[in-house]
């Protein structure tokens, strides 16, 4: 056997296999833990979520503000133990954070990601 691989051969192919261990078959489950603001994003119908994303893209916080009212109309969230008014105010707080920090671009980026989360939730649970 040549100590150097020839053209077209890799070094790993030139070495004999050293008994690779078979996979152990362990299943790992990952759960995303959401904070209260993020868990307050409502599950809306897909067209409403797209409109909120569009609004958040051009006027930071506006789509989040509109989505807060969908909570009052019965949209569910990942906060089932909280009252509807509490979830409404959490969404209003998120909208205000996005509006106030849009000046330094943080709120604008947060607003776009918030809108994308709305669309993702709507597409998963429609």
């Amino acid at each position: 056997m040549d100590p150097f691989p020839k053209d077209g051969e890799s070094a790993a192919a030139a070495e004999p296999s050293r008994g690779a261990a078979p996979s152990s078959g362990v299943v790992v489950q990952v759960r995303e833990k959401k904070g209260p603001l993020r868990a307050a994003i409502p599950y809306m119908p897909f067209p409403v979520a797209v409109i909120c994303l569009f609004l958040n893209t051009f006027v930071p916080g506006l789509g989040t503000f509109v989505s807060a009212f969908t909570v009052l109309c019965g949209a569910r969230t990942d906060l089932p133990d909280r009252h509807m008014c509490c979830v409404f105010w959490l969404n209003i707080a998120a909208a205000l954070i996005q509006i106030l920090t849009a000046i330094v671009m943080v709120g604008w980026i947060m607003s776009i990601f918030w809108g994308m989360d709305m669309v993702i939730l709507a597409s998963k649970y429609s």
Side-chain angles (χ1 to χ4, degrees), residues 9-112:
E9 282 185 273
S10 68
E15 290 182 19
S17 66
R18 296 186 177 171
S23 64
S24 61
V26 176
V27 177
V28 178
Q29 182 179 4
V30 179
R31 288 183 121 185
E32 180 181 8
K33 183 177 180 186
K34 297 179 179 179
L37 269 181
R38 178 124 182 229
I41 298 174
Y43 294 99
M44 299 176 281
F46 190 77
V48 177
V50 170
I51 290 170
C52 288
L53 170 60
F54 181 78
L55 291 173
N56 271 350
T57 302
F58 295 105
V59 182
L62 184 59
T64 307
F65 185 74
V66 169
S67 75
F69 289 97
T70 64
V71 173
L72 296 179
C73 294
R76 67 180 189 86
T77 64
D78 287 332
L79 294 172
D81 56 334
R82 298 221 180 163
H83 193 266
M84 169 188 323
C85 289
C86 179
V87 177
F88 170 77
W89 287 111
L90 281 171
N91 278 294
I92 295 295
L96 288 175
I97 290 169
Q98 292 168 8
I99 291 167
L100 294 175
T101 59
I103 298 167
V104 290
M105 296 298 290
V106 173
W108 205 320
I109 294 166
M110 177 185 173
S111 184
I112 292 170

